[in-house]
Amino acid sequence: MLFVVPPLAGHVNPTVAVAAELTARGHQVAWTGPAAALPPLLPTGSPLYAAGDRDAAGGQELGGARWRDLRGIAALRFLWAEALIPLARAMLPGVHAAVEAFRPDVLVTDQQALAGPVVARRHGLPWATSATTSAEIVRPFDDFPKVGEWVSQRIAALLAECGAPGGWDPRFSPHLVLIFSTPALIGDDGPEEGAATHAQDGGPGGVAGRYPPHYAFVGPAFGARPAGGDFPWRRLDPGRARVLVSLGTLNRAAGARFYPAVLRAADALADRAQLILAAPGDLAGDIPPHMLHQEYVPQLQLLPHLDAVLCHGGHNTVCEALAYGLPLVVAPVRDDQPIVARQVAEAGAGVRVRFGRARADELHQALSAVLDDPAHRRAARRIQASFAAAGGAATAADRLEKLRPGPRPGPSAPGTAPTDNEKGP
């Protein structure tokens, strides 16, 4: 199986766990995506086929200065027009070459790696969507229909540019959609209007009701992570509640105004809570002795020692915290994060606060609420139980094994020729 991924840690991490499970079952796996960024995110020695050169595509780097200052619809437009669509153009030749060289039976393609489905269709291969964020599953544009229409137009233009037929959405596989969450968190309102709904056999991970059978809710999939460096474990205070504060990998540099509010809230909670701040040293400010600060922390190893998490609403961080039954305070920054924050609040597993105009008293009240109100912890543990029942990487592997293998492509293999309406990348 060939995993098609963007150069984003939160999108790669679940595929590492699923790939490890598939490898243990005797399957061959490989990845394709931007080769300069992916090796640190993959296990050492992982087969990787280069695909994607942002400079050649004219795209912008997520995390750059221009992107960092955007919020709301402006950030969403930037994501699609300046990052995802150019990335798709850049990745197309490399993904095509990877398919011909590796000759996979199935592609597992990230929802934001649009080149994968285009190449899969061209080769007649079945493909599964890897939905590493649940935002696209819950009709994210209901409140902004013009934005949703604009995104659909950008995708349709990309398909036309590639010579691919229209009338389908590369964000949603008609064969299998792996969702690394559960309805206990995201709700049961069903897929976005217009999403592919061709059914396959249900089985583990399938959900009866409004979601079609080929939507497999597998919960978080945890795999090996790069070493997080040293951590001062002995400085964790057993006499106080412990709270991790993290804005993730891409958004950490946007916290210049947020971190000072965190420090003031930490002062107000110092007698009862120890905040552990993961942030750049030049933005964190003067850390008081009652706190811990480290630029990067071994998050998965740290979570079992915590009582709550304050974060930006990144899907991976939220699901990892809930997998340990931890309530959250969520300060969404951009993109899918407001949707994830709303899911947390509506599920009762935490409190949403403002990021752009964060106030110390607001953070203090929110942290006190998730630490003191047992309802938040009960909701978090309910979601934790749903994650455990979903099966994670093992269920994802089960569903992938049920996909009917496609033709074995190669430089001269049958099935590599384009269809009448489709040209090669």
Side-chain angles (χ1 to χ4, degrees), residues 202-295:
V207 176
R210 301 183 184 183
Y211 295 101
H214 73 294
Y215 277 45
F217 289 85
V218 303
F222 299 144
R225 300 281 177 85
D230 294 331
F231 184 79
W233 296 101
R234 293 182 178 180
R235 290 190 59 199
L236 291 177
D237 186 348
R240 293 184 290 164
R242 291 170 288 207
V243 180
L244 173 65
V245 181
S246 172
L247 296 181
T249 304
L250 290 178
N251 294 283
R252 56 198 291 112
R257 297 182 180 178
F258 185 76
Y259 297 134
V262 169
L263 265 59
R264 292 193 298 274
D267 287 339
L269 291 164
D271 62 334
R272 53 179 302 218
Q274 180 184 40
L275 270 61
I276 303 147
L277 177 62
D282 59 338
L283 297 178
D286 295 328
I287 305 297
H290 58 76
M291 286 182 65
L292 284 180
H293 168 254
Q294 194 154 305
E295 186 156 353

Side-chain angles (χ1 to χ4, degrees), residues 13 65 94-95 98 135 173 183 192 197 218:
N13 287 340
V95 175
S173 167
E192 181 183 5
T197 56
V218 303

Side-chain angles (χ1 to χ4, degrees), residues 122-225:
R122 183 184 177 226
H123 286 274
L125 290 169
W127 52 284
T129 296
S130 174
T132 53
T133 173
S134 58
E136 291 281 359
I137 308 299
V138 294
R139 303 193 303 272
F141 301 120
D142 276 1
D143 296 332
F144 306 97
K146 291 186 178 180
V147 177
E149 181 180 355
W150 178 84
V151 170
S152 296
Q153 290 171 349
R154 301 285 75 73
I155 293 173
L158 173 70
L159 296 178
E161 178 185 326
C162 299
W168 64 288
D169 192 332
R171 293 172 295 178
F172 301 96
S173 167
H175 311 288
L176 175 63
V177 179
L178 296 173
I179 304 166
F180 294 94
S181 186
T182 64
L185 174 59
I186 76 172
D188 61 357
D189 290 339
E192 181 183 5
E193 186 70 25
T197 56
H198 303 290
Q200 286 206 344
D201 180 43
V207 176
R210 301 183 184 183
Y211 295 101
H214 73 294
Y215 277 45
F217 289 85
V218 303
F222 299 144
R225 300 281 177 85

Side-chain angles (χ1 to χ4, degrees), residues 265-322:
D267 287 339
L269 291 164
D271 62 334
R272 53 179 302 218
Q274 180 184 40
L275 270 61
I276 303 147
L277 177 62
D282 59 338
L283 297 178
D286 295 328
I287 305 297
H290 58 76
M291 286 182 65
L292 284 180
H293 168 254
Q294 194 154 305
E295 186 156 353
Y296 295 95
V297 300
Q299 185 162 294
L300 279 182
Q301 291 89 343
L302 186 58
L303 288 171
H305 304 276
L306 300 178
D307 297 280
V309 172
L310 165 56
C311 72
H312 60 305
H315 192 263
N316 261 23
T317 300
V318 164
C319 287
E320 288 172 2
L322 291 172

